[in-house]
Amino acid sequence: MNRLGFASRLRAGESLISTFVKTPNHAVVEIAGDCGLDAVVLDAEHAPFDPASLDRGLLACRAVDIAGLIRVADERPATLLQALDLGADGLVLPHIVNAAQARQLLQATRYRHGSRGFSNSPRAGGYGRANLAEHMAAEDGRHAIIAQIEDREALDNLAAIAAVEQIDCLLVGRADLAVSLGASSLDDPRVESAVSRVLEAAQQAGKAAGIFVASSEDLARYSAKGLRFFILGSDQAVLRAGWSQQARHFHGLVR
């Protein structure tokens, strides 16, 4: 299944494309899966997702066999536990700034050698189908763990962050990184230099590097540089671009 193989494909260095879903509606997820994306990222950090809408979104991922990742709202163990219990195929962790922070919060994602609270009753445990041993074996290490690099502080700790065993991918968040660096443009040389540093650290650690991009042109450019995981735009961006084009076309016809 495409969904279940996502983490393995990310770790193997495949080029993978996803998008942010910011509208808490299962139909958006179903459409994304039907269009051939490798994953969707339900954006609980910057969009109005609550537990019920995350639940429906991940159920829709299973319906169309697309990997469902959650960009979590915060670092609380309860937040990470809820995402995993609902059946997320991966976590996007915002504002990772050093290895100690990463290791601390990742404790909550593992049963063995971790502190994840056990329950096989949610979706992740087949609603009780899996017994204790089966559930732990199936869950530990199953999820794609993507550390978002978007702070000046993180740039001084890239090698150590990339060396954290559970982290599968370093994802550049250029907008927050630009703000942190005092830049006013994503194309600022300081931001471009940071992207290169993240890529180099990931490659040296044998991990994937990823980035959020807003255009197909940036997608091609960063793919050529060696980045492999992409979050391309969002459902909102697609709607805005499509409706804007239609409105311009219509007003051009009726003038």
Side-chain angles (χ1 to χ4, degrees):
M1 295 176 67
N2 294 330
R3 182 183 66 80
L4 294 178
F6 179 82
S8 296
R9 295 170 66 197
L10 181 67
R11 292 164 188 161
E14 285 191 38
S15 293
L16 301 167
I17 186 168
S18 67
T19 191
F20 276 124
V21 171
K22 294 177 178 286
T23 307
N25 188 287
H26 62 277
V28 175
V29 174
E30 289 181 288
I31 293 168
D34 195 48
C35 289
L37 296 177
D38 296 298
V40 292
V41 183
L42 307 182
D43 190 6
E45 183 188 24
H46 288 297
F49 280 93
D50 59 18
S53 55
L54 287 174
D55 187 34
R56 290 189 295 270
L58 292 173
L59 180 60
C61 287
R62 296 193 175 211
V64 291
D65 193 21
I66 186 173
L69 315 181
I70 294 178
R71 179 158 72 169
V72 295
D74 56 62
E75 298 180 1
R76 294 183 305 122
T79 299
L80 304 181
L81 175 62
Q82 181 177 78
L84 300 182
D85 280 353
L86 289 174
D89 299 303
L91 302 176
V92 177
L93 306 174
H95 295 287
I96 298 301
V97 296
N98 59 58
Q101 171 211 16
R103 283 193 293 267
Q104 176 66 33
L105 69 92
L106 287 171
Q107 282 287 304
T109 69
R110 293 288 184 107
Y111 289 121
R112 301 292 189 192
H113 311 295
S115 59
R116 178 178 173 181
F118 179 83
S119 177
N120 62 351
S121 62
R123 178 180 293 120
Y127 301 108
R129 181 186 65 248
N131 63 33
L132 188 148
E134 291 169 342
H135 182 51
M136 288 195 298
E139 285 288 284
D140 278 354
R142 181 181 79 79
H143 310 92
I145 302 296
I146 299 168
Q148 198 158 332
I149 305 299
E150 49 191 342
D151 301 273
R152 181 196 294 267
E153 180 183 349
L155 299 179
D156 296 326
N157 301 308
L158 289 174
I161 294 170
V164 175
E165 183 180 0
Q166 286 179 245
I167 291 176
D168 300 307
C169 178
L170 301 184
L171 175 72
V172 181
R174 286 188 297 165
D176 276 328
L177 195 53
V179 172
S180 182
L181 291 170
S184 57
S185 167
L186 299 186
D187 296 323
D188 187 288
R190 290 170 290 179
V191 178
E192 285 296 294
S193 174
V195 174
S196 297
R197 291 172 62 183
V198 172
L199 173 60
E200 181 181 4
Q203 289 178 331
Q204 289 184 351
K207 305 290 180 69
I211 194 168
F212 169 78
V213 293
S215 69
S216 296
E217 291 75 21
D218 276 349
L219 187 71
R221 180 161 67 95
Y222 286 114
S223 179
K225 288 178 179 289
L227 285 90
R228 290 291 173 258
F229 174 62
F230 297 92
I231 303 176
L232 175 59
S234 69
D235 56 330
Q236 292 176 345
V238 170
L239 287 171
R240 172 174 286 277
W243 282 338
S244 296
Q245 181 182 18
Q246 290 174 346
R248 286 193 301 268
H249 178 69
F250 171 75
H251 291 300
L253 289 176
V254 299
R255 283 177 184 167

